Amino acid sequence: MSKILSKKGVKWLLVVGVVAVVALFGFRYWKGKQSALPDGITSGNGRLEAKLVDVAAKEPLRVLEILADEGAVVQPGQVLVRLDTTTLLAQLAEAQESIAAAQERLAFSRASIVKQKSEIELAEIELERSRRLVKEGAGSRREFDVRNAKVETAKATLAEAEAMLQTSKQQVEVARASAATIQTRIEDATLKSPVLGRVLYRLAEPGEVLAAGGKALTLVNLEDVYMEIFLPSEQAASVAIGAEGRITLDYAPDRAVPGKVSFVSPEAQFTPKQVETRSEREKLMFRVKIQVPRELASQYVENIKTGVRGVGYVKTNPSAAWPNWLQNLVAPAPGKQPAPSPGAQPEPGTGGSSGG
């Protein structure tokens, strides 16, 4: 009797095992059908990336202070680094003194011209008087010649003064241009953020001397966010610039970020040494860039972390319809989107390592 029961038990266990295996394969098949892409849409693995921007010195100067640490979010125009401008300020003071001296020479030249014009006017009156006296026979010819020479000398002196006036004006402009150049160099010593971004690397400390072009900080431009994927040549050839795209991240595969194809590489990234057979030609992979809209990225700057892995999807056929699981989009929010509270649904780009 016990043998009969044991055989029945084994039979039931086999039945349950078969049912479990069938259910497992059925579930996997159903999940595969749910995540299958329709014709006209292709995908590739990638990671969230952003353009890098270097904050660098324009000329060799010592670092006075750095006002942002790694990981800080910075705004366009925000002061990030101040360089020591003591020498430049001394040069600016010297240039301003040169402006004052040039302006004094200019004023002297103008006064000299006024004086020369008055002397010419007086000399011409005396010359006319001498001319009448000579004509009437009451004056000497010599005196007339002396006064005539005096007029000519006064006119020559006036021309010289006018030339000095032009020179003085040019000296003032040169001095002002020199001061403006130094002022620009002083302003360039205050390094500001050109973008809305996050500090990725802090490359200098106060007291260090940066060379011309020396980097103090490297920023991640949080408004220029994208994902690069690699597609076989046949699929890449069907992707158009401006085609619709979607990005999903591994930590939140049920949320999709809308995007557009902004670049398709004209050259293969992986090329066999000899491309002869069809299987080898299929190894050719082309880089495709899916750009996140700037207005959307700017609303999630607190959440974006580059380096997060995910999947990028692009349309090879504009009329193809996105599957339901790629229509749950991260939508733009009016105004600045606040960071999600603990326990809330995470937004794109949170988590992961920082990188370019």
Side-chain angles (χ1 to χ4, degrees), residues 221-239:
N221 186 351
L222 296 178
E223 293 183 313
D224 193 348
V225 182
Y226 58 92
M227 177 179 284
E228 289 183 341
I229 61 175
F230 294 89
L231 299 178
S233 57
E234 184 177 349
Q235 296 178 358
S238 302
V239 178

Side-chain angles (χ1 to χ4, degrees), residues 43-338:
S43 66
N45 295 323
R47 66 174 186 171
L48 203 64
E49 299 184 66
K51 288 286 183 66
L52 300 184
V53 179
D54 292 323
V55 178
K58 194 171 182 180
E59 59 182 287
L61 290 172
R62 188 181 302 277
V63 177
L64 192 62
E65 57 180 339
I66 296 183
L67 305 175
D69 291 320
E70 292 182 354
V73 174
V74 296
Q75 302 295 322
Q78 180 178 336
V79 176
L80 302 180
V81 182
R82 296 187 192 277
L83 304 178
D84 189 356
T85 58
T86 303
T87 303
L88 294 176
L89 289 172
Q91 293 177 1
L92 179 61
E94 182 180 353
Q96 290 172 341
E97 290 295 329
S98 297
I99 293 174
Q103 288 175 335
E104 288 181 3
R105 288 192 295 270
L106 178 61
F108 177 81
S109 297
R110 285 172 175 164
S112 179
I113 288 174
V114 172
K115 178 183 177 181
Q116 290 302 320
K117 286 181 177 181
S118 299
E119 290 181 357
I120 289 173
E121 184 178 353
L122 177 60
E124 287 179 340
I125 292 173
E126 290 178 346
L127 177 62
E128 183 61 28
R129 183 181 299 116
S130 179
R131 180 183 290 113
R132 288 198 304 268
L133 291 174
V134 169
K135 187 177 182 180
E136 295 171 356
S140 68
R141 183 71 187 182
R142 181 180 179 281
E143 184 179 358
F144 172 79
D145 291 340
V146 170
R147 290 183 177 178
N148 186 52
K150 186 177 181 180
V151 170
E152 295 301 323
T153 301
K155 288 182 177 179
T157 304
L158 175 62
E160 182 181 353
E162 288 176 341
M164 289 296 297
L165 176 65
Q166 295 303 318
T167 301
S168 298
K169 288 181 178 179
Q170 291 173 356
Q171 289 175 345
V172 170
E173 293 303 319
V174 169
R176 285 175 175 169
S178 177
T181 299
I182 297 172
Q183 182 62 49
T184 301
R185 293 170 63 192
I186 291 174
E187 292 172 359
D188 288 341
T190 300
L191 308 184
K192 300 178 181 179
S193 172
V195 297
L196 172 61
R198 186 187 303 277
V199 179
L200 181 60
Y201 301 121
R202 177 167 167 161
L203 305 172
E205 295 297 330
E208 296 182 17
V209 176
L210 294 180
K215 301 174 185 178
L217 299 169
T218 297
L219 310 180
V220 176
N221 186 351
L222 296 178
E223 293 183 313
D224 193 348
V225 182
Y226 58 92
M227 177 179 284
E228 289 183 341
I229 61 175
F230 294 89
L231 299 178
S233 57
E234 184 177 349
Q235 296 178 358
S238 302
V239 178
I241 301 296
E244 287 187 66
R246 294 284 188 271
I247 295 173
T248 61
L249 303 175
D250 289 348
Y251 80 92
D254 58 333
R255 300 293 302 276
V257 180
K260 296 225 178 254
V261 174
S262 61
F263 176 79
V264 178
S265 175
E267 298 180 352
Q269 305 297 310
F270 309 107
T271 309
K273 293 182 179 179
Q274 294 180 345
V275 183
E276 296 177 353
T277 66
R278 179 178 178 85
S279 62
E280 286 178 329
R281 289 198 301 271
E282 289 175 351
K283 296 176 184 177
L284 295 172
M285 302 295 286
F286 291 80
R287 180 165 58 96
V288 177
K289 183 176 177 180
I290 306 172
Q291 186 77 37
V292 177
R294 184 185 185 91
E295 60 275 9
L296 180 61
S298 63
Q299 294 176 354
Y300 294 94
V301 294
E302 297 290 347
N303 309 97
I304 295 174
K305 300 291 186 301
T306 56
V308 179
R309 304 289 174 172
V311 181
Y313 304 85
V314 293
K315 283 187 177 183
T316 56
N317 183 354
S319 61
W322 293 108
N324 292 334
W325 51 278
L326 285 177
Q327 294 186 20
N328 183 21
L329 300 180
V330 176
K336 181 177 175 60
Q337 176 71 18

